[in-house]
Amino acid sequence: MLLNQDRLYKTAFLYTRNKEDSLDAVQETVFKAFKHIANLKEPAYFSSWLTRILIHTIFAMKKKQQDVIPFEQQHESFESNDRLEDKLDLNSALEVLDEQYQLVIQLFYFQDYSISMISEQIDVPEGTVKTHLYRARKLLKQTLEEEESVNGNKRNEKAL
């Protein structure tokens, strides 16, 4: 369990953007996992099973609170302002996506899950996961291009 603790916290923080809510979600997940450990059919899939419990726990918390934001905003130091702007653009673009698209993007790119693992985690066919990834990428590209054209015009006006 201790091996998964850090990964669970990071995953929870990606969804909640709040230390306290993340810790609550992890604590509730561990409680549920111990309570239902007999339901685990294959010990080799413990990590996936635990992540699935975490995601369901976070969604339940989100329904109760109605103000949990699903993606993280990291507070890191960056080498340049351009990189910071790009990261902020990406975060704002991710927030525009539907929750189902955010989930597959987060699991695929930030947690390095395979399509089959994502399919297992969220109980949808692999084809649906692929479709969600395709549509999410397309929407992200559109959103980022729109922001770039708007920001590009503002930057050009400032330069003049």
Side-chain angles (χ1 to χ4, degrees):
M1 186 64 75
L2 292 175
L3 298 173
N4 293 304
Q5 184 178 0
D6 193 39
R7 186 183 53 78
L8 288 174
Y9 175 76
K10 288 177 183 177
T11 301
F13 195 82
L14 284 169
Y15 283 96
T16 63
R17 287 192 189 176
N18 181 311
K19 179 181 177 182
E20 291 78 20
D21 288 342
S22 299
L23 291 172
D24 286 346
V26 170
Q27 181 179 7
E28 184 68 21
T29 299
V30 171
F31 172 74
K32 288 179 181 179
F34 277 120
K35 187 175 176 183
H36 298 287
I37 193 74
N39 296 344
L40 178 61
K41 295 173 184 159
E42 183 65 44
Y45 298 120
F46 178 75
S47 179
S48 297
W49 179 70
L50 205 55
T51 303
R52 187 174 189 165
I53 294 171
L54 177 67
I55 290 170
H56 288 289
T57 300
I58 291 170
F59 287 160
M61 287 173 57
K62 187 175 181 179
K63 283 181 185 177
K64 288 179 186 175
Q65 295 175 351
Q66 291 298 317
D67 67 345
V68 177
I69 301 171
F71 270 89
E72 140 186 33
Q73 230 179 11
Q74 292 180 342
H75 300 288
E76 298 176 345
S77 60
F78 291 94
E79 293 89 28
S80 70
N81 286 339
D82 289 339
R83 185 164 175 217
L84 177 60
E85 284 181 15
D86 290 344
K87 183 148 182 81
L88 291 175
D89 288 345
L90 180 60
N91 278 339
S92 65
L94 287 170
E95 289 174 359
V96 171
L97 296 177
D98 288 341
E99 195 171 273
Q100 62 190 2
Y101 296 154
Q102 287 180 7
L103 178 60
V104 294
I105 290 289
Q106 192 267 336
L107 291 174
F108 190 76
Y109 289 106
F110 298 108
Q111 298 295 324
D112 294 324
Y113 276 40
S114 67
I115 289 174
S116 61
M117 287 176 67
I118 296 170
S119 171
E120 237 178 76
Q121 290 291 320
I122 61 175
D123 278 332
V124 296
E126 287 184 25
T128 303
V129 173
K130 291 177 184 177
T131 301
H132 288 337
L133 280 170
Y134 172 78
R135 289 179 181 166
R137 287 183 202 118
K138 188 176 176 181
L139 288 169
L140 280 172
K141 182 180 178 185
Q142 264 182 330
T143 303
L144 291 171
E145 285 174 349
E146 288 171 6
E147 286 181 11
E148 181 62 32
S149 67
V150 169
N151 290 338
N153 289 339
K154 288 180 183 177
R155 288 180 188 151
N156 289 339
E157 289 173 7
K158 287 180 183 179
L160 296 174

